[in-house]
Amino acid sequence: MTRIKKKIGILTSSRADYGILKDLILLLQKNKKVRTNVLITGSHLAKNFGYSIIDIKKDKIRNLSKIKSFVENTNKFSIIKSLSLSFVTFANYIKKNKLSLFLILGDRYELLPFCYTALLFKIPIIHIHGGEKTNFQLDDINRKLYSNMASYHFVSNSLHKKNVQKIIEKKDNVYNIGSLSLSNINKFKFSNIKELAKKYKINLRKKIIIVTFHPETIFYDRSYFGLKNLLLVLNEFRNFTIIFTGSNADENGIKFNELIKIFCKKNTNSYFFKNLGRQDYFSFLKIAHTVIGNSSSGIIEAPSISRKVINIGYRQNGRVRSKSVINVNYEKKNIKKALLYKMIKKKYKNPYYKENSVSKAASIIFKIINNTK
């Protein structure tokens, strides 16, 4: 009699969470005793956000399933339509695929229908990156909600472990493994300048500024004001090569991208890319003079790779950060001052780093799956 393999479902809805989950997925798929199914949804399937499912296929990830939702626009009604479609399509998926464990990462709104459906079907949930804070953002509400729905928690440092334990009102099943994206970062094989210049056909002889800027999820107007001011400042830095990565699929993300594209058309030293992928994004961080914006990658990953990181505005307020991160508001003079500031060349501790976090996470997952029905 052939033993039926237990199935682990892993959800990825954007380039951001996939970059963090990739190494864990590949490691789990090496184990022949379980089947790891990767559920692809959200902006991965949207052409205006780079159609990043292509990158997943290039990485030779197996057992892929598309969970279709509508994210070709980022207004409120399109987002609600996306959520409603995900409820139905994921419920149908579960009818055909019995999952023993379901894994999610982060705080994106796209996760909501999947988490709640898994909860209704009594599938244990592992939540990664809980306990972090982004004050006065929808992400913060979502993150706490997902922690409450989850049975197991992988957090990125000791403070976040305590925060999750307060949220769920118990201490069991909360594991401090660090950020998966930084696991073995010291062994990461970065592409060099020549390789990147040839691939993207851009001039990388000048100093490089990497920009990633997303809308705030509640106070949209002030973040749009902040983006406009950032572009006005960058307009003065003609002796730099400026590389923008696309805004995410939050409400008004497309509007932010359109404003950036207009800037790039007017400035020949500036380039816009919807999606660089983890390999190239990390490689650009490595050679950059400055990383600037309001993305969580600037708080979590960039301090371990780049020498100068500037966090603008309030989107990441409350999140633990390295002392190497310069924090400024949306005012033009303060953004410019931060860009001109010369960082002291020294190593700073990254509070999100723990060695071998991917292998630690996989080990815990196998223990959990062995104890599930």
Side-chain angles (χ1 to χ4, degrees), residues 124-317:
I125 299 169
I126 296 177
H127 181 215
I128 302 174
H129 271 286
E132 298 172 19
K133 291 186 178 182
T134 46
N135 300 329
F136 308 111
Q137 304 292 328
L138 287 176
D139 299 346
D140 205 54
I141 298 168
N142 294 338
R143 197 181 303 110
K144 289 174 183 174
L145 185 62
Y146 304 148
S147 288
N148 271 310
M149 291 185 184
S151 301
Y152 305 95
H153 310 266
F154 293 168
V155 299
S156 54
N157 65 36
S158 56
L159 175 61
H160 300 152
K161 182 176 182 177
K162 290 177 183 177
N163 290 345
V164 168
Q165 288 171 335
K166 287 179 183 177
I167 291 167
I168 65 174
E169 297 181 344
K170 60 181 182 179
K171 295 185 177 182
D172 297 340
N173 301 329
V174 185
Y175 305 93
N176 177 14
I177 62 167
S179 176
L180 296 176
S181 59
L182 296 173
S183 186
N184 299 316
I185 192 68
N186 298 325
K187 298 177 183 177
F188 191 86
K189 293 181 180 179
F190 298 93
S191 302
N192 61 41
I193 291 179
K194 287 184 179 180
E195 290 169 330
L196 294 170
K198 183 179 180 180
K199 181 175 180 178
Y200 291 96
K201 298 178 182 179
I202 56 179
N203 177 14
L204 296 177
R205 292 177 211 165
K206 301 176 183 178
K207 291 180 180 178
I208 299 164
I209 297 174
I210 306 294
V211 187
T212 306
F213 201 96
H214 304 300
E216 286 193 52
T217 50
I218 293 180
F219 300 105
Y220 156 75
D221 289 340
R222 70 181 182 185
S223 60
Y224 193 63
F225 165 79
L227 176 58
K228 285 183 173 180
N229 277 351
L230 172 60
L231 296 178
L232 287 171
V233 172
L234 291 175
N235 192 53
E236 300 177 31
F237 285 72
R238 298 297 180 91
N239 58 331
F240 284 75
T241 295
I242 304 171
I243 297 171
F244 293 87
T245 63
S247 294
N248 59 24
D250 281 327
E251 185 182 358
N252 294 304
I254 291 175
K255 188 175 180 180
F256 273 47
N257 285 338
E258 292 305 316
L259 187 62
I260 293 167
K261 287 177 188 176
I262 291 168
F263 176 85
C264 291
K265 284 182 181 179
K266 293 179 180 178
N267 293 271
T268 57
N269 65 323
S270 301
Y271 305 87
F272 173 83
F273 299 101
K274 291 178 182 177
N275 174 35
L276 289 169
R278 184 171 183 254
Q279 173 66 38
D280 290 349
Y281 177 65
F282 274 19
S283 298
F284 273 115
L285 292 185
K286 184 72 172 176
I287 62 174
H289 175 274
T290 303
V291 178
I292 187 167
N294 63 1
S295 170
S296 61
S297 65
I299 303 294
I300 297 172
E301 288 95 6
S304 289
I305 303 170
S306 308
R307 78 175 170 178
K308 183 178 177 183
V309 182
I310 301 171
N311 177 63
I312 302 176
Y314 313 102
R315 196 173 191 273
Q316 302 300 332
N317 266 16

Side-chain angles (χ1 to χ4, degrees), residues 301-335:
E301 288 95 6
S304 289
I305 303 170
S306 308
R307 78 175 170 178
K308 183 178 177 183
V309 182
I310 301 171
N311 177 63
I312 302 176
Y314 313 102
R315 196 173 191 273
Q316 302 300 332
N317 266 16
R319 205 185 279 278
V320 175
R321 60 199 67 186
S322 166
K323 291 181 181 179
S324 65
V325 178
I326 302 169
N327 302 292
V328 295
N329 60 22
Y330 291 132
E331 297 296 327
K332 269 173 44 180
K333 63 179 182 179
N334 294 325
I335 295 171

